[in-house]
Amino acid sequence: MTHRFPIKELARQAGLSTATVDRALNNRANVSPQTKRRVAAATQELEAQESLLAAKGRRIFIDFVVEAPQRFNREIQTACDDVLSYLGPAVFRPRYFMKDNMGDNDVEALLNMIAKRGSHGVVLKARDVPNVQNLVSKLHDRNIPVVTLVTDITSPHRLTYAGLDNFRAGQTAAYLMAKVLKDQLGCVLTTQSQSDFTGEQERLRGFEDVITQKCPQIRLIKTSGGGGRSSDTLKTIEDFLPDARQLKGVYSMGGANQTILNLLDRFRIAPEIFIAHDLDEENLHHLKNETIDFVLFHNLKDDLHHAFNAIAAYHGLSTSKNTPQQSDIQIISLHNIPTYFRSKLG
């Protein structure tokens, strides 16, 4: 059967063997639904990149390994498409491995597969745990550079970090909250998706640094572990709310904000200020409806531009330096939503 893309090309994009791809394309036996979905996704990725292939230059395969909620994964892919439309001289070919929850075994299996198969670089958003740190070193030893995205990994062997200054972001959130709460008594809820994400640890450290100075009378209710998913976030924080009638503020570092707002409504708690991260569709909706007051925003396009340039420089295709580059933190309210994002509001 004739297919739009050669099987070898599809296999490289999907990170599978040519035999497996052939079986999936021809609907043969012993092919799992997951494999079929991966081949279908690889076909779509190739179609989306097809216009870039006419450009002259070397093809660079970049593997994205990302643990994040689907809404954030969509933001990453959209930002990638925009950045890759103007990057050169190489033609970058992203391969996406994204899930809203990755255990240590999942990440280990993916990074070991990439190390075995080969890659020009990895863009990684994962938990900062010893297994992952060791695998970053393993990839480095195999000349596969790793750029950490949004949240860093404690390893001397990662190539560079691309993202915001999470500590300063937490400080900024606390500064805004302190301006509203002033001398009021009460408590503030902080929520992390996972405490093993270095970025969220840094946000919390920065937040505590400022809020304890400016509002020492405020008690912090610190929760973690929802993974940015609605059901798990519900389980993580609902036990804390019955005793939080004097809740004055919320600092959400990990998402699932609709769930948090629903819980607050259920317990008839109305905080004076709610601060979140990232301009995804859910948060845009809440800004519009004034159920979230401020969103701390950084431009993923800038992060990915830095990541791609760093990998290109590693392979001698760019003169960019591989120094960590931290994105500017923007404070977004209902009244200053960037034009590009306003179009999403309809």
Side-chain angles (χ1 to χ4, degrees):
M1 183 182 293
T2 302
H3 301 284
R4 181 170 180 179
F5 300 103
I7 289 177
K8 184 177 180 180
E9 191 84 353
L10 273 170
R12 290 186 68 187
Q13 184 69 22
L16 300 169
S17 70
T18 54
T20 299
V21 171
D22 182 67
R23 289 199 303 273
L25 290 173
N26 291 290
N27 295 314
R28 296 196 177 100
N30 301 319
V31 180
S32 69
Q34 182 180 2
T35 297
K36 289 181 179 179
R37 287 194 297 270
R38 184 62 207 143
V39 173
T43 303
Q44 292 176 353
E45 290 163 10
L46 288 175
E47 289 171 350
Q49 299 159 20
E50 199 169 45
S51 62
L52 292 174
L53 299 183
K56 293 181 180 179
R58 180 179 172 186
R59 297 181 189 181
I60 303 294
F61 285 87
I62 308 295
D63 290 291
F64 280 75
V65 177
V66 175
E67 180 182 359
Q70 289 304 308
R71 60 183 177 273
F72 191 68
N73 291 336
R74 288 194 295 270
E75 295 297 321
I76 291 175
Q77 291 195 46
T78 298
C80 266
D81 290 342
D82 289 343
V83 171
L84 292 179
S85 67
Y86 60 79
L87 270 183
V91 177
F92 292 91
R93 301 284 294 275
R95 299 182 286 209
Y96 299 107
F97 303 92
M98 296 174 158
K99 288 176 64 177
D100 62 359
N101 184 31
M102 286 189 185
D104 286 358
N105 291 340
D106 297 320
V107 177
E108 183 174 2
L110 279 171
L111 295 181
N112 274 323
M113 177 197 74
I114 291 167
K116 182 178 180 180
R117 182 200 61 208
S119 174
H120 293 104
V122 173
V123 177
L124 180 64
K125 180 182 182 295
R127 307 180 200 190
D128 188 19
V129 294
N131 251 11
V132 174
Q133 296 162 8
N134 292 335
L135 286 162
V136 168
S137 297
K138 179 178 180 178
L139 290 167
H140 170 268
D141 292 342
R142 300 198 178 192
N143 296 316
I144 300 174
V146 176
V147 176
T148 51
L149 180 68
V150 180
T151 183
D152 208 355
I153 299 295
T154 308
S155 170
H157 294 131
R158 67 105 168 96
L159 182 65
T160 190
Y161 166 73
L164 74 167
D165 185 326
N166 285 293
F167 185 80
R168 288 179 56 210
Q171 288 181 311
T172 302
Y175 178 82
L176 292 170
M177 197 164 287
K179 285 293 184 182
V180 172
L181 301 185
K182 297 182 180 177
D183 297 325
Q184 295 185 60
L185 295 174
C187 55
V188 165
L189 174 69
T190 66
T191 67
Q192 296 174 269
S193 65
Q194 296 289 349
S195 60
D196 287 334
F197 284 128
T198 297
E200 291 186 18
Q201 291 177 20
E202 289 294 294
R203 291 175 192 179
L204 181 60
R205 281 204 317 112
F207 185 82
E208 289 181 294
D209 178 65
V210 171
I211 203 72
T212 53
Q213 291 179 37
K214 293 190 172 293
C215 298
Q217 78 286 357
I218 289 292
R219 176 171 63 94
L220 294 185
I221 300 174
K222 296 183 281 189
T223 66
S224 174
R229 300 178 298 277
S230 295
S231 59
D232 293 334
T233 299
L234 179 73
K235 295 174 186 175
T236 298
I237 69 174
E238 66 179 339
D239 290 341
F240 290 91
L241 291 186
D243 298 324
R245 296 295 176 181
Q246 295 302 311
L247 186 68
K248 299 297 184 181
V250 176
Y251 177 34
S252 171
M253 291 165 263
N257 295 317
Q258 183 63 62
T259 297
I260 297 170
L261 288 164
N262 289 345
L263 271 173
L264 294 174
D265 186 61
R266 187 210 298 177
F267 289 101
R268 297 182 181 179
I269 298 172
E272 295 187 30
I273 180 170
F274 194 122
I275 301 173
H277 277 263
D278 304 320
L279 282 178
D280 54 38
E281 290 185 13
E282 182 179 283
N283 285 344
L284 285 168
H285 168 79
H286 289 306
L287 281 174
K288 181 181 179 181
N289 292 301
E290 300 184 61
T291 44
I292 285 179
D293 300 287
F294 300 104
V295 168
L296 300 182
F297 166 71
H298 72 288
N299 196 329
L300 269 172
K301 294 181 188 178
D302 293 340
D303 300 338
L304 292 168
H305 195 181
H306 172 53
F308 287 126
N309 276 340
I311 292 170
Y314 179 89
H315 293 288
L317 299 172
S318 167
T319 57
S320 298
K321 294 182 179 179
N322 294 332
T323 53
Q325 179 173 307
Q326 296 178 331
S327 304
D328 290 335
I329 303 163
Q330 299 179 46
I331 302 169
I332 306 297
S333 72
L334 169 65
H335 301 289
N336 69 329
I337 297 172
T339 303
Y340 169 78
F341 291 95
R342 281 191 176 276
S343 64
K344 296 185 180 183
L345 289 172

